[in-house]
Amino acid sequence: MAKKAKNVVVDSEKQFDAIRKEFQTFQILNEKGEVVNEDAMPSLSDEELKELMRRMVFTRVLDQRSISLNRQGRLGFYAPTAGQEASQIASHFALEKEDFILPGYRDIPQLVWHGLPLYQAFLYSRGHFHGNQMPEDVNAFSPQIIIGAQYVQAAGVALGLKKRGKKAVAVTYTGDGGTSQGDFYEGINFAGAFKAPAIFIVQNNRFAISTPVEVQTSAETLAQKAVAAGIPGIQVDGMDPLAVYAAVKEARERAINGEGPTLIETLCYRYGPHTMAGDDPTRYRAKELDDEWEAKDPLVRFRNFLQAKGLWSEEEENEVIEKAKEDIKEAIKKADETPKQKVTDLINIMFEEGSWPYNLKEQYEIYKEKESK
Amino acid sequence: MMSTNRIISYAQAINEALKEEMALDDRVILLGEDIGSYGGVFKVTKGLFDEFGKERVIDTPISETGFIGAGVGAAMTGLKPVIEIMWIDFSLVAMDQIINQAAKMAYMSGGQTSVPMVIRTQGGGGRGNGAQHSQSLETLFAHIPGLKVVAPSTPYDAKGLLKSSIREGSPVIFIEHKMLYSQKGEVPEEEYTIPLGKADIKRSGKDVTIVTLSRMVQFSLEAAKELEKEGIDAEVIDLRTLVPLDIETVKESVKKTNRVVVVHEATRSYGWGAEIAARIQEEAFDDLDAPVQRVGAEDVPVPYNLNLEKEMLPQTKDIIQGVKKSLYLQMETV
């Protein structure tokens, strides 16, 4: 084998080796649910561990039901979440109520667990503006549609929290594809420069619609992109709820202590299509890869872990499943009962009353008349 | 041999234009998200990856600024990039590269460089895709010196105009319409091109001139059909390109009909309809028997809900109403 010419100025191999050593995947539970990293075990009570499991099970049911409701035409836009429960739910589990979430469009579960009523999540799916109206005590933006845009905004939210002396953090989510956007770099760089209390989570589910992460970047990990912004970065096994929880918990503490933002890459997988709007993942994903990732399933792993501790039974799981189905039924009913949107609503919510451009006043009057009939 | 009546879809016609121009000129490369073996989310680039390979049909990172900027660089150094922006709404992420860079390069290099690049994208509503996936943004680009703007309404026009766009020496924003991709129409086997800046009279008539483009051409033709039942003979002009603008064809028509209704899917206020109305009053004022009417979307974001979307986007009935207004006819209930 021909020996590669040795670089004199930059020893790239040495550089990459150092990066590789530094950015190893952080794991606490292996695929079987065995603890492989006792030192890093977060201090969660038995009840908290069970609650985390309940939420993940609930979220899996919510995903399955949402997909079938979408197919029946009873829900609109929907981006499936199965496979990402540890990344989504365990990261959220490490947050406090006063923390601020800036989600992407797949991050509905975090919003729900942060307090967005389920029926509003369904209204969001149907494109009803009430779905985006966060209740007073829910600190969150509505889901971002434009890839990566939430990253820059998260830096601003975090800066605001810091300036107002809040002991809270801004947490934002994007996917592997989002890390190719300028917004991603600008967001982490800005937050880093101001030591803003932000947590940037990248759910690396390996595919941006059809494009594999290898096409997005030459970087071996997405976590290492943190280095360029001068902030800590970590790659976590995103199918391991305890690892995700521990990473976010620590990042939150750093942020609250004024040490600035953290970038967390969670390695995960979306079992389903990109969205329910016609994507067929068999066109770009081999079944072997699906199988490989399903074997890492976060629910299976955590169930094994809890059962070994005598904390979880099939009965309890079934209770959660039934409860989820019940809640979803109720929520859909409530969504159905919500008054339909009108064109006058659309006009109404754009500007403050009294500051309308003349054209809108005209259009408002026309529609008011029309809708009164 | 002349082939007749070959019917293909708008998406296939665009696909053929890409394929032919790529075969003809190996400087033509495609860049975009999911355009490779996936074939594009609207399947417009289907088969091109297999035919031309990954060196010429390039899947990019999700990075509109990145791949439009790269396109500008590649175009300035001898390639002819045809870039797919999956949704026109995403072009907004890359406006600096489009407006400050691509559009300005020829001028700022004193004419030494040019940017022979096509940005293919799709816009418009009709599918309930919501506020950030349904916009009609052609006016933004038409307002910027240095860009050409094309918005075809039929498979035939789409193919001929795209081939010309790829051969252009300056950046072209080529705006397809998501609701037209599956629409079919006659496209000959033989090679042809359609020059930019040449409007097409899709229906001739004598009573009123409807000036429109893209999907609204269909709606306007439907309106014309309805109006015919009431004895109103409408002429429908498909501008096909906003820049260059074929105002001459419009003025010729106005001489005959003396009445104009401009129809666009974009929001009415500050839309290109205002430009057409202004040009007509500047250059053909004496030919007008009535004020120029504008039919466009209400000035609100496009809602996700399909019923509401229909309510705010112009429909055939709105065009009929606009025509009647220009004819000072009694209107039925709004």
Side-chain angles (χ1 to χ4, degrees):
Chain A
M1 206 164 69
K3 202 164 184 274
K4 246 176 95 182
K6 191 170 157 48
N7 294 312
V8 179
V9 182
V10 176
D11 189 340
S12 55
E13 283 314 309
K14 196 174 148 205
Q15 248 182 17
F16 291 142
D17 278 346
I19 292 170
R20 230 165 266 141
K21 254 184 227 124
E22 198 47 53
F23 290 91
Q24 306 257 335
T25 312
F26 172 67
Q27 192 184 52
I28 292 177
L29 288 182
N30 68 13
E31 293 179 20
K32 293 183 208 139
E34 299 156 349
V35 177
V36 293
N37 189 347
E38 192 67 57
D39 296 345
M41 266 300 273
S43 54
L44 285 166
S45 69
D46 287 354
E47 185 41 44
E48 284 169 326
L49 289 170
K50 289 176 70 160
E51 177 59 17
L52 178 53
M53 182 64 183
R54 277 186 214 112
R55 291 185 183 190
M56 291 203 299
V57 172
F58 188 104
T59 303
R60 179 67 60 88
V61 177
L62 177 61
D63 184 62
Q64 290 162 346
R65 290 296 300 139
S66 297
I67 287 171
S68 89
L69 286 164
N70 169 283
R71 289 195 175 126
Q72 295 163 29
R74 299 187 68 199
L75 275 188
F77 172 79
Y78 184 68
T81 58
Q84 300 190 202
E85 290 87 353
S87 295
Q88 296 184 323
I89 304 304
S91 63
H92 177 263
F93 204 62
L95 304 181
E96 301 295 333
K97 188 79 183 160
E98 59 268 27
D99 294 337
F100 215 104
I101 300 179
L102 293 93
Y105 48 74
R106 204 181 301 282
D107 303 311
I108 308 305
Q110 296 96 301
L111 285 181
V112 169
W113 290 112
H114 213 50
L116 179 70
L118 201 48
Y119 86 96
Q120 282 188 269
F122 290 151
L123 286 174
Y124 156 78
S125 167
R126 291 175 177 182
H128 194 299
F129 63 82
H130 182 48
N132 284 337
Q133 292 175 323
M134 294 295 147
E136 197 61 43
D137 65 335
V138 177
N139 294 324
F141 279 19
S142 55
Q144 179 57 252
I145 302 293
I146 299 299
I147 305 295
Q150 66 273 33
Y151 260 52
V152 213
Q153 296 166 352
V157 171
L159 189 65
L161 291 170
K162 188 177 176 178
K163 294 231 179 276
R164 284 178 289 135
K166 303 268 186 199
K167 289 276 170 221
V169 298
V171 182
T172 189
Y173 295 85
T174 191
D176 36 310
T179 65
S180 301
Q181 289 283 16
D183 288 15
F184 168 83
Y185 295 98
E186 294 179 42
I188 62 173
N189 186 67
F190 186 98
F194 293 96
K195 293 249 182 292
I199 303 175
F200 296 100
I201 298 177
V202 176
Q203 295 177 73
N204 176 0
N205 67 17
R206 311 207 58 79
F207 290 89
I209 308 189
S210 77
T211 305
V213 67
E214 294 76 19
V215 174
Q216 294 294 340
T217 179
S218 281
E220 287 180 34
T221 70
L222 302 176
Q224 74 198 51
K225 294 189 177 198
V227 175
I231 68 173
I234 181 174
Q235 185 185 64
V236 179
D237 179 349
M239 307 297 260
D240 171 0
L242 293 182
V244 173
Y245 176 88
V248 176
K249 189 84 181 162
E250 193 181 280
R252 189 179 184 280
E253 273 157 30
R254 252 197 315 275
I256 297 283
N257 292 336
E259 294 166 50
T262 303
L263 178 67
I264 300 174
E265 174 191 11
T266 67
L267 291 177
C268 57
Y269 202 72
R270 77 168 138 78
Y271 298 159
H274 164 64
T275 68
M276 294 304 291
D279 173 49
D280 172 11
T282 62
R283 281 168 66 199
Y284 51 85
R285 267 182 358 200
K287 192 180 172 300
E288 294 71 44
L289 191 65
D290 289 352
D291 293 344
E292 186 191 313
W293 279 89
E294 280 179 35
K296 302 178 199 274
D297 190 79
L299 271 67
V300 173
R301 187 183 304 205
F302 205 46
R303 187 185 296 124
N304 287 343
F305 166 74
L306 291 180
Q307 279 175 345
K309 287 171 79 87
L311 289 176
W312 196 250
S313 66
E314 204 182 320
E315 215 168 61
E316 279 175 285
E317 181 144 342
N318 286 335
E319 266 172 44
V320 180
I321 293 170
E322 287 316 308
K323 168 90 166 67
K325 286 182 179 166
E326 203 51 47
D327 286 3
I328 291 163
K329 217 163 108 190
E330 285 288 309
I332 276 287
K333 194 162 158 263
K334 198 164 173 197
D336 288 344
E337 287 163 3
T338 306
K340 290 198 166 31
Q341 306 174 93
K342 301 190 294 289
V343 176
T344 45
D345 291 330
L346 297 185
I347 297 175
N348 250 326
I349 56 186
M350 265 204 306
F351 295 105
E352 259 178 274
E353 185 123 32
S355 71
W356 290 4
Y358 77 93
N359 53 315
L360 280 185
K361 274 185 212 156
E362 282 169 18
Q363 289 167 19
Y364 184 82
E365 289 309 321
I366 292 167
Y367 275 96
K368 205 172 136 195
E369 166 80 19
K370 209 169 160 180
E371 287 163 5
S372 68
K373 282 176 191 163
Chain B
M1 204 174 73
M2 197 64 186
S3 67
T4 48
N5 296 330
R6 190 176 69 114
I7 305 288
I8 61 172
S9 73
Y10 186 85
Q12 283 171 308
I14 296 164
N15 181 280
E16 280 191 3
L18 293 170
K19 194 163 140 178
E20 288 177 16
E21 291 305 301
M22 288 182 83
L24 206 67
D25 184 347
D26 60 14
R27 293 173 301 169
V28 178
I29 58 164
L30 309 187
L31 289 161
E33 292 156 357
D34 301 291
I35 64 164
S37 58
Y38 194 64
V41 295
F42 291 94
K43 303 191 175 71
V44 172
T45 54
K46 202 174 162 188
L48 299 180
F49 181 83
D50 291 337
E51 186 163 349
F52 298 102
K54 65 175 174 18
E55 301 302 321
R56 294 186 66 198
V57 182
I58 304 166
D59 268 330
T60 62
I62 303 191
S63 182
E64 286 80 9
T65 293
F67 60 82
I68 291 184
V72 172
M76 286 169 66
T77 50
L79 291 175
K80 289 189 150 198
V82 180
I83 296 172
E84 178 173 302
I85 296 276
M86 200 188 279
W87 305 72
I88 197 169
D89 317 74
F90 303 170
S91 69
L92 299 174
V93 169
M95 274 305 194
D96 184 62
Q97 285 300 326
I98 300 173
I99 293 180
N100 274 332
Q101 311 302 327
K104 307 282 193 289
M105 281 304 157
Y107 168 76
M108 296 189 70
S109 65
Q112 272 193 332
T113 54
S114 62
V115 182
M117 172 173 90
V118 178
I119 297 176
R120 276 187 50 243
T121 185
Q122 58 78 27
R127 279 188 8 150
N129 287 147
Q132 291 152 328
H133 283 67
S134 305
Q135 296 172 89
S136 295
L137 299 175
E138 63 276 11
T139 310
L140 287 186
F141 300 107
H143 191 58
I144 303 301
L147 299 175
K148 294 193 172 173
V149 181
V150 182
S153 69
T154 66
Y156 179 84
D157 288 355
K159 182 173 177 185
L161 289 165
L162 181 54
K163 283 171 68 83
S164 295
S165 299
I166 295 172
R167 297 178 193 184
E168 272 287 320
S170 53
V172 177
I173 312 294
F174 192 90
I175 307 171
E176 296 152 19
H177 197 295
K178 56 175 73 64
M179 297 303 285
L180 294 177
Y181 281 131
S182 59
Q183 301 273 323
K184 295 193 169 170
E186 210 170 303
V187 177
E189 296 270 9
E190 294 73 36
E191 192 185 356
Y192 67 96
T193 57
I194 298 171
L196 306 192
K198 193 86 200 70
D200 185 40
I201 299 172
K202 288 283 194 287
R203 181 190 197 278
S204 49
K206 58 178 179 11
D207 296 331
V208 58
T209 301
I210 301 175
V211 181
T212 185
L213 50 67
S214 191
R215 189 186 185 209
M216 287 298 128
V217 171
Q218 271 191 1
F219 284 31
S220 298
L221 288 170
E222 280 165 27
K225 220 166 156 186
E226 288 299 310
L227 288 161
E228 198 179 350
K229 292 179 193 157
E230 301 180 42
I232 300 164
D233 188 13
E235 178 146 306
V236 177
I237 297 180
D238 179 358
L239 289 174
R240 301 201 288 202
T241 66
L242 273 187
V243 183
L245 176 66
D246 181 4
I247 199 72
E248 292 308 320
T249 298
V250 176
K251 275 156 56 184
E252 277 307 308
S253 180
V254 180
K255 258 187 206 150
K256 180 170 62 171
T257 64
N258 314 115
R259 290 160 207 278
V260 185
V261 180
V262 190
V263 180
H264 56 58
E265 194 179 320
T267 42
R268 195 157 49 239
S269 300
Y270 306 98
W272 57 261
E275 172 67 15
I276 303 288
R279 292 286 293 272
I280 292 170
Q281 69 87 15
E282 282 167 359
E283 299 169 32
F285 188 74
D286 292 338
D287 291 325
L288 286 175
D289 282 350
V292 176
Q293 295 296 322
R294 287 183 294 159
V295 176
E298 306 305 336
D299 299 317
V300 292
V302 184
Y304 175 89
N305 178 290
L306 271 173
N307 294 325
L308 268 188
E309 188 196 57
K310 244 187 181 147
E311 199 55 61
M312 65 74 66
L313 292 181
Q315 305 296 321
T316 306
K317 64 174 171 42
D318 302 313
I319 301 170
I320 293 172
Q321 199 180 310
V323 166
K324 289 190 174 173
K325 217 169 160 191
S326 81
L327 288 158
Y328 297 112
L329 288 173
Q330 200 62 41
M331 277 173 288
E332 290 145 41
T333 45
V334 179

